[in-house]
Amino acid sequence: MQRKPTSFDIAQLAGVSQPTVSRALRGEIGVNPATRMRIESIARQLNYRVDKAASNLRTRHSQTLALLFFEDPTADDSLINPFFHSMLGSIIRACAEHDHDLLISFQQLSSDWHHDYEDSRKADGIILLGYGDYELYRTRLRALEDAGTHFVRWGSVQSEASGLTVGCDNHGGGRDATAHLLGLGRRNIAFLGSASSHYPEFHDRYRGHVAALKQAGIIPRPRLQFDAITTEEAGAAAAQALLDSGETFDAILAASDLIAIGAMRALQEAGRTIPGDVAVVGFDDIPAASSAVPPLTTVMQDPRLAGRKLVETLIGRIREEPVGSALLPTKLVVRKSCGS
């Protein structure tokens, strides 16, 4: 062919309609797999390339997703949870695999970010990472839902949650971590992390912790739970409050690795050995967990799987495919801080 090939040329050669060619080359569902393969083969033979701008104009899709980070207090002033740093690479990679661009924005929860994206044509959908106080965050999610915005968030997967959610099995992770400590002979296990509806992921981990204690025939002691947000400073303060309380404890399950690392520092400064006097387990498996002293046993959330699932769920929603919230598995990574 001397002229530039078109989708109509492919349709004629494939024996299908032009709209079928367009749907197949955009990766939409509803096209017979054999027909899709035939169309893609002909397109390659003709060196045909989809005119992305024209396709987007027809479909009113920008082929762009927006990733919104929400500020978290951090020691390095990045204000981004280290676990989300690990997830970023897989989100970028998944977008590229699905031929989407990615916009990244940093937001304060107190701002009107939910209004900024209701009518914006910058992106076809939004991925939300981080939220601080969930009770405030939930009102913003409802505003996005009311506006018909396509979005997916990382968080606690609950039946009453607003919008599509991808998250790990926080309850199962908390249960498995506590069961492991019990198996090591620890019986007085403290929990460091804010366990309330304001922090549902931490609350799920605490409920898993309590479930494991009850299954072992141990009555949970509410006085061994101390609030903390995801910072080393908060973990150190919670551990110090635990020490000052006079309660007997031989292990700590922290709701995040940062809390656990801060707690270990406070324990060591108080003369407690780890894991001799106190076994410590965290949650997340951020890079700093393996380099802590001693290396931190933790519940791993898979950032690669998480990032890919967030992108695939959001694109499915944009394409009006039957997608739902997803609960991802966790894995206990055993290191020296628990003594096994």
Side-chain angles (χ1 to χ4, degrees):
M1 297 180 67
Q2 300 301 316
R3 60 180 175 79
K4 184 178 179 180
T6 69
S7 59
F8 291 95
D9 297 321
I10 298 174
Q12 182 178 10
L13 293 171
V16 298
S17 67
Q18 188 274 338
T20 298
V21 172
S22 296
R23 290 198 301 274
L25 295 181
R26 286 199 301 266
E28 294 183 10
I29 62 173
V31 179
N32 181 278
T35 302
R36 185 191 305 278
M37 291 179 62
R38 185 165 72 252
I39 290 170
E40 291 175 345
S41 175
I42 293 171
R44 286 193 296 271
Q45 292 172 25
L46 297 181
N47 198 28
Y48 177 81
R49 295 290 184 272
V50 176
D51 187 337
K52 195 171 179 180
S55 176
N56 292 346
L57 183 62
R58 288 192 299 270
T59 62
R60 301 186 70 187
H61 287 170
S62 66
Q63 290 294 106
T64 300
L65 304 182
L67 172 61
L68 271 58
F69 285 106
F70 292 92
E71 62 180 17
D72 272 324
T74 56
D76 61 1
D77 294 326
S78 68
L79 299 181
I80 298 177
N81 187 316
F83 175 70
F84 295 148
H85 279 295
S86 303
M87 196 187 293
L88 179 58
S90 63
I91 291 175
I92 294 172
R93 188 177 304 108
C95 284
E97 290 172 354
H98 288 84
D99 197 27
H100 277 66
D101 296 322
L102 182 68
L103 296 175
I104 300 176
S105 178
F106 187 72
Q107 302 286 325
Q108 291 184 335
L109 193 62
S110 58
S111 67
D112 290 332
W113 57 270
H114 57 303
H115 290 304
D116 294 339
Y117 282 85
E118 285 175 5
D119 300 316
S120 173
R121 295 297 177 187
K122 297 177 183 177
D124 300 326
I126 308 170
I127 298 171
L128 304 172
L129 296 182
Y131 54 81
D133 187 328
Y134 182 72
E135 293 301 325
L136 173 61
Y137 178 64
R138 183 161 52 183
T139 63
R140 310 298 177 88
L141 296 180
R142 288 171 180 163
L144 289 180
E145 284 193 307
D146 292 343
T149 304
H150 298 130
F151 72 93
V152 62
R153 68 184 189 91
W154 175 263
S156 175
V157 181
Q158 301 173 342
S159 58
E160 71 275 14
S162 298
L164 285 174
T165 306
V166 175
C168 82
D169 184 2
N170 292 292
H171 185 279
R175 181 193 61 232
D176 293 346
T178 298
H180 180 72
L181 289 169
L182 291 169
L184 296 174
R186 311 288 174 154
R187 288 295 180 270
N188 299 294
I189 306 172
F191 182 91
L192 305 186
S194 300
S196 73
S197 61
H198 293 272
Y199 301 91
E201 290 171 282
F202 284 8
H203 195 197
D204 288 346
R205 294 167 193 178
Y206 179 68
R207 292 191 303 106
H209 163 70
V210 169
L213 292 176
K214 290 182 177 178
Q215 187 173 4
I218 298 174
I219 299 175
R221 294 160 55 192
R223 288 180 295 182
L224 286 181
Q225 185 271 319
F226 289 82
D227 287 348
I229 60 173
T230 306
T231 66
E232 289 187 34
E233 291 71 19
Q240 188 60 55
L242 172 61
L243 289 165
D244 294 342
S245 71
E247 295 289 333
T248 300
F249 66 99
D250 56 10
I252 288 175
L253 170 58
S256 77
D257 288 345
L258 289 177
I259 293 174
I261 291 170
M264 288 199 297
R265 184 177 74 239
L267 291 171
Q268 290 164 338
E269 289 175 354
R272 302 290 183 99
T273 61
I274 302 169
D277 296 327
V278 184
V280 180
V281 177
F283 208 110
D284 285 337
D285 197 27
I286 62 175
S290 60
S291 58
V293 181
L296 179 64
T297 294
T298 185
V299 178
M300 183 187 75
Q301 304 184 85
D302 188 338
R304 297 179 183 85
L305 175 60
R308 185 170 72 250
K309 193 64 178 178
L310 283 165
V311 172
E312 292 174 348
T313 300
L314 180 55
I315 291 176
R317 172 70 186 276
I318 293 167
R319 293 175 177 172
E320 299 183 351
E321 297 172 0
V323 294
S325 296
L327 186 67
L328 307 182
T330 59
K331 177 183 178 181
L332 185 68
V333 179
V334 179
R335 300 189 180 102
K336 292 183 179 180
S337 68
C338 66
S340 61

